[in-house]
Amino acid sequence: MSFLTSILAAFIASTPAPPASDAAGAVTSYPTSYFASSSPTTAYDMVQRLPGFMFDLGSAVRGFGGAAGNVIIDGARPASKDDGLDDTLKRIPASSVLRIDLIRGGARGIDMQGKPILANVVLRADQGRRLKLQGSGTRAYDGRLAGTARIEGSAKVGATAFEGALLLSTGFDDGAGDGSRIRRDASGVTILHADEVSKGLAKLAKLSGAVETPVFGGKLRLHASLSSSPYTLTTNDALPAIPAAEYERYHQGQYTAEVGLRFQRDFGAKLSSETFALQQLGRANVSDEFMADPLVAALTGDDVSDRFALRKTSGESILRTKFRYEAHKALALEAGAEGDYNWLTATTTFVQNGAPVALPASDVHVTEARGEAFSTATWTPSKQVTIEAGLKVEASRLSSSGDVVSSRTFVFPKPRAAVTWSPGAADQIRLRVEREVGQLNFDAFAANSGNLTTGSVYAGNPQLTPEQDWVFEAAYERRFWGGADATVSFKHHVLRDVIDRVPVSNGSTTFDSPGNIGAGREDELALILTLPTDRVGLKRGLLTGQTTFRGSRVIDPTTRLARPISQLHANDWEAHFTQGLPGLKATWGFDASGQFSEKSYRFNEIDTDKVKIQTTLFTEYKPKPDLAFRIELRNANGRGVEHAREVYAGPRDLNGPAFVDVRDLHTGRFVFLRFIKTFG
């Protein structure tokens, strides 16, 4: 109790945080000396130690506007979409960082991209040639080996900078594993008891390069990348009592090519512009093959054989430009527009017990032409208050041909207002109201396979309407102990055209499909804590964590009864601890993520996935600033994953459960070793 009491006392009567460089509490700068005790290797390690900051990778959506994460580099967001924000930060050595500015609410010359908090990684200007070599290896619990080799280089010739990288990697799917599969009928009698062995392997080969140079009075960055990322999952269920077996092999081949640019230019001291252009092309081939011994099929009612195949090609073209005008030291105006053109062509086939089965939306070509105009005003009437007001207007036209012929036009105004109030150096209150419009997932437009072992073949739906909501958010942040931070936030979403699961028919057969199910609500309470542990006896230690509680309500399209939104987690939590050991030139720590459960409400079954607590122990040794060795024990507690299907004899509103199928898998422990050597 004394530990908790000391934290509470510090929270109530805390030492103010370091003075901000702009408005009180708006911008706090953390020089490299702040991170020295933990000996970070990359910029990503440094970002993870920022007080009151939880890293947001961004969203994998089309366009630039809604895809932004909450970290920028030298005041600008990365120009590539194929590179994840975390990968970009991991490529930046800690020695290349001058400081990191933590921006709360807004700051002069910074586009907050709709985020309440941004981290701006400011790089040193005196960087020269650099070569970075990285190698790693992973040993799985069952003796399998995987590894990664990465080589990266950068150089400057005059004012022009060049970058290049090659990555070759293999990795294991920690959601697969070994365990038991038990199926019971409605009365609880065991129908099937099998030993399951599943293994997943992902590979990645990626080549990328970039050049940045002054041109036309501004700064131009060009980048290109080419990647291949195949994935294979095999599942084998052996029934020793018969004996017999079921077997499935799922394979996906994914290829992506991307070229793009970012151009920034200042027109005097007050006006600046930024332009993005990008072209991305993708191709994917999916095959899913299931086979069951006839004895098993007779026992369970499963098919003897299923074969599913999907071929798809896609493209995305983006042009985005914006202008920012510093009208006054207290007023900044921003306006711009974005245009996107996206397309997807997908063809699927499904053969059940040797006979072809027609799937809804099995052969589709979908195009989307989307434009968005936006303007934002940021006003700082005093050092304590920042007010942001903006409006986006999104217009799009979705067209499909093939199995489903349709054409629809959408126009959505999206107003936003946000207020940040810092009554003192240690406190900040943030309020936001905004209309948000979700983005349709192109993969939902075509038929797909979830897992043939579970009988999951999903129909496509090219006639979806984007989900919309009004979000009301309030957050309170308190900084104490000079480097500790606690934040509590609450969000209330008023939902419209919620996208969930609906039944669709193709003749006499009914399939599960994504679809709009009407209105709903969602509430979210989040707590974030950053706590240096020096005052409790652990010198140079840092404990960070967050937990989020969610509640939701929609009307089930099958039963017409209220239920939560499919796949929405009721609770997520994570905790991280690191401690620097400068005498040993090392750091150590742990990462933990909590158990969560997600349910999918289909018309004739309810699927529940439970992912249990996972922990990772690690230590990193840096004999020299340019050389680092790291060892991790991943899934140290032997986390398990449970997949449960409650299958009904027909639609859930008319039928009772037919059986429950539960797979309880344990993924085992993984030992990970890595070295990083930097030259220059």
Side-chain angles (χ1 to χ4, degrees):
M1 290 295 294
S2 60
F3 174 63
L4 296 177
T5 302
S6 64
I7 295 176
L8 181 61
F11 185 82
I12 296 173
S14 60
T15 303
S21 57
D22 271 354
V27 181
T28 306
S29 295
Y30 295 91
T32 54
S33 57
Y34 175 83
F35 308 95
S37 62
S38 63
S39 300
T41 302
T42 67
Y44 181 79
D45 301 332
M46 302 168 77
V47 165
Q48 293 288 343
R49 293 184 65 87
L50 290 171
F53 182 80
M54 299 303 294
F55 176 68
D56 176 8
L57 178 64
S59 303
V61 296
R62 298 181 299 282
F64 272 114
N70 61 355
V71 178
I72 55 179
I73 301 170
D74 282 337
R77 61 180 295 185
S80 171
K81 290 186 66 179
D82 191 38
D83 278 342
L85 182 56
D86 53 345
D87 289 334
T88 300
L89 293 171
K90 289 175 182 178
R91 287 203 301 267
I92 301 174
S95 59
S96 297
V97 177
L98 178 64
R99 71 177 190 275
I100 299 181
D101 294 336
L102 195 58
I103 306 166
R104 299 174 172 89
R108 183 179 178 87
I110 296 295
D111 173 15
M112 295 297 290
Q113 304 172 139
K115 307 293 183 181
I117 301 178
L118 275 184
N120 181 24
V121 179
V122 181
L123 302 180
R124 292 171 47 190
D126 57 350
Q127 298 181 78
R129 295 184 179 181
R130 177 176 58 84
L131 178 65
K132 180 180 174 183
L133 302 177
Q134 178 178 327
S136 66
T138 302
R139 186 183 189 279
Y141 60 95
D142 55 4
R144 288 176 296 159
L145 299 176
T148 296
R150 184 197 297 264
I151 180 170
E152 303 166 1
S154 62
K156 271 192 173 183
V157 179
T160 301
F162 299 89
E163 300 174 12
L166 173 64
L167 171 64
L168 301 172
S169 175
T170 59
F172 303 120
D173 182 352
D174 63 1
D178 304 338
S180 64
R181 175 190 175 192
I182 299 176
R183 178 179 294 188
R184 294 185 173 94
D185 64 17
S187 61
V189 176
T190 299
I191 304 172
L192 175 149
H193 191 170
D195 297 324
E196 178 163 308
V197 177
S198 63
K199 301 182 186 300
L201 181 67
K203 298 181 179 180
L204 175 62
K206 184 173 183 179
L207 179 66
S208 60
V211 58
E212 187 171 298
T213 187
V215 64
F216 302 126
K219 182 169 63 175
L220 175 67
R221 181 179 178 85
L222 302 170
H223 75 270
S225 65
L226 182 65
S227 64
S228 170
S229 52
Y231 169 77
T232 302
L233 174 67
T234 60
T235 303
N236 186 62
D237 291 337
L239 284 70
I242 297 181
E246 289 184 342
Y247 174 81
E248 180 179 9
R249 182 182 186 275
Y250 174 91
H251 177 77
Q252 174 177 303
Q254 178 74 46
Y255 308 91
T256 305
E258 180 182 280
V259 294
L261 66 83
R262 181 185 69 211
F263 179 67
Q264 299 168 284
R265 183 177 178 183
D266 294 333
F267 300 89
K270 293 187 175 183
L271 181 64
S272 63
S273 70
E274 186 175 48
T275 298
F276 292 93
L278 180 139
Q279 177 64 60
Q280 190 176 88
L281 299 173
R283 181 167 63 110
N285 299 312
V286 175
S287 63
D288 197 352
E289 182 177 357
F290 168 79
M291 293 175 291
D293 188 287
L295 292 174
V296 179
L299 178 67
T300 64
D302 292 343
D303 297 329
V304 173
S305 68
D306 292 327
R307 297 176 186 271
F308 178 90
L310 165 65
R311 295 179 180 273
K312 64 179 180 179
T313 54
S314 60
E316 179 177 24
S317 306
I318 305 172
L319 179 62
R320 177 183 177 89
T321 187
K322 66 178 181 181
F323 292 88
R324 185 175 180 87
Y325 179 60
E326 302 285 344
H328 184 267
K329 66 178 181 179
L331 179 64
L333 305 174
E334 185 176 284
E338 178 177 312
D340 307 328
Y341 180 75
N342 308 282
W343 58 270
L344 169 73
T345 298
T347 303
T348 60
T349 59
F350 180 46
V351 179
Q352 185 177 41
N353 294 325
V357 176
L359 298 175
S362 62
D363 187 357
V364 296
H365 177 71
V366 183
T367 62
E368 178 191 44
R370 183 164 53 89
E372 181 178 83
F374 55 90
S375 61
T376 303
T378 304
W379 179 39
T380 309
S382 69
K383 291 183 177 181
Q384 289 75 36
V385 178
T386 299
I387 300 173
E388 179 185 329
L391 175 64
K392 299 178 182 178
V393 178
E394 174 186 319
S396 63
R397 184 176 181 83
L398 272 168
S399 301
S400 66
S401 58
D403 288 352
V404 181
V405 179
S406 68
S407 182
R408 293 167 299 147
T409 299
F410 302 103
V411 178
F412 297 110
K414 299 183 289 186
R416 167 188 168 87
V419 178
T420 302
W421 176 41
S422 302
D427 301 278
Q428 188 172 86
I429 296 172
R430 297 185 289 269
L431 303 174
R432 174 174 71 102
V433 58
E434 183 174 2
R435 189 192 188 200
E436 301 175 326
V437 177
Q439 198 173 99
L440 296 177
N441 183 351
F442 267 25
D443 287 338
F445 292 174
N448 216 322
S449 165
N451 189 309
L452 292 180
T453 303
T454 64
S456 300
V457 175
Y458 308 137
N461 185 359
Q463 296 183 304
L464 291 168
T465 296
E467 184 174 299
Q468 311 118 60
D469 74 88
W470 279 96
V471 58
F472 303 87
E473 179 180 8
Y476 170 63
E477 181 179 5
R478 175 78 169 180
R479 280 162 273 166
F480 57 101
W481 282 3
D485 187 286
T487 302
V488 57
S489 65
F490 178 76
K491 296 180 185 178
H492 175 65
H493 299 262
V494 180
L495 305 171
R496 180 180 178 184
D497 291 324
V498 176
I499 296 178
D500 208 291
R501 313 305 302 183
V502 300
V504 296
S505 298
N506 190 21
S508 60
T509 307
T510 302
F511 295 92
D512 180 73
S513 170
N516 297 107
I517 65 170
R521 65 165 177 82
E522 179 186 342
D523 296 308
E524 180 179 300
L525 176 66
L527 306 171
I528 302 174
L529 176 67
T530 303
L531 186 67
T533 59
D534 296 64
R535 298 199 182 192
V536 294
L538 289 174
K539 299 297 184 182
R540 298 172 297 277
L542 182 70
L543 178 66
T544 62
Q546 70 167 352
T547 184
T548 303
F549 301 92
R550 302 180 186 88
S552 63
R553 184 183 186 276
V554 292
I555 300 300
D556 189 291
T558 300
T559 65
R560 308 308 303 169
L561 299 176
R563 63 160 172 84
I565 297 173
S566 284
Q567 297 184 325
L568 188 71
H569 298 181
N571 174 238
D572 288 305
W573 66 263
E574 60 183 79
H576 310 275
F577 175 75
T578 58
Q579 183 183 24
L581 306 172
L584 300 176
K585 299 182 178 180
T587 59
W588 79 278
F590 67 82
D591 301 306
S593 56
Q595 175 174 305
F596 66 83
S597 176
E598 62 180 38
K599 289 181 179 289
S600 294
Y601 296 87
R602 312 189 191 284
F603 78 97
N604 65 341
E605 67 179 85
I606 298 175
D607 299 344
T608 304
D609 290 335
K610 294 181 180 179
V611 178
K612 300 174 185 178
I613 294 175
Q614 178 172 325
T615 57
T616 295
L617 305 175
F618 66 85
T619 183
E620 186 161 318
Y621 171 57
K622 296 183 69 174
K624 295 188 292 185
D626 58 1
L627 180 63
F629 298 92
R630 185 181 181 94
I631 181 170
E632 298 180 3
L633 179 60
R634 296 179 174 176
N635 195 25
N637 60 314
R639 179 201 74 175
V641 179
E642 182 182 284
H643 309 281
R645 296 174 62 222
E646 184 179 5
V647 180
Y648 290 70
R652 288 186 287 112
D653 59 332
L654 301 175
N655 301 269
F659 64 84
V660 176
D661 195 298
V662 178
R663 301 162 187 268
D664 189 7
L665 305 180
H666 299 274
T667 57
R669 298 168 180 83
F670 299 83
V671 177
F672 171 81
L673 300 170
R674 185 192 71 187
F675 81 89
I676 298 177
K677 172 63 178 176
T678 304
F679 302 89

